[in-house]
Amino acid sequence: MERKRRLALGIKPVGSVKYYLDNPFSKDLVQGIESIGDRGSVSIEKVLALQPDMILIASKDASDYEKHSKIAPTLVIPYGTYKNVHEELTAFGELLGKEQEAKTWLAQ
């Protein structure tokens, strides 16, 4: 879900949790994206090894931000922030400077 929207914006993450990588509807889109563990058990060592430019996480635990922000700029998006896929994709488009890509994907 989350990965698929970022892929819709033309941005391919270097890592993702296994839950998103195992989605049968996006199998062809996630080739080359490394698993960093699963929801609730992300490997900080794997994240560090990938040397990301930015980290986007959904978390209720403030310690997740502390750990990740030592690796790269980190943005925590609280669960339930967006009401639907349209709102979420629009927000990610604005955040990542991909507003037109978001509009195009939503129009399709």
Side-chain angles (χ1 to χ4, degrees):
M1 166 236 63
E2 180 177 336
R3 296 300 158 254
K4 202 167 189 177
R5 283 190 269 293
R6 279 191 229 124
L7 291 169
L9 297 176
I11 298 170
K12 190 167 187 172
V14 294
S16 177
V17 292
K18 186 177 182 323
Y19 173 82
Y20 295 118
L21 297 175
D22 289 345
N23 182 331
F25 299 106
S26 60
K27 273 284 192 206
D28 58 328
L29 300 173
V30 298
Q31 300 268 334
I33 300 175
E34 295 290 324
S35 173
I36 56 170
D38 213 345
R39 297 183 299 178
S41 61
V42 169
S43 168
I44 286 295
E45 292 80 14
K46 287 182 179 181
V47 174
L48 181 61
L50 291 172
Q51 301 177 326
D53 295 326
M54 174 189 278
I55 300 173
L56 300 174
I57 58 175
S59 178
K60 298 175 186 173
D61 186 351
S63 70
D64 286 338
Y65 173 80
E66 295 300 322
K67 291 184 283 189
H68 288 88
S69 66
K70 292 177 183 174
I71 298 170
T74 301
L75 178 62
V76 177
I77 308 216
Y79 181 78
T81 298
Y82 307 110
K83 295 176 189 164
N84 56 51
V85 66
H86 295 271
E87 206 175 270
E88 185 173 347
L89 189 62
T90 299
F92 274 98
E94 291 169 0
L95 172 71
L96 300 168
K98 299 284 188 168
E99 294 92 341
Q100 189 55 53
E101 289 86 341
K103 287 178 186 176
T104 300
W105 191 87
L106 289 169
Q108 295 173 353

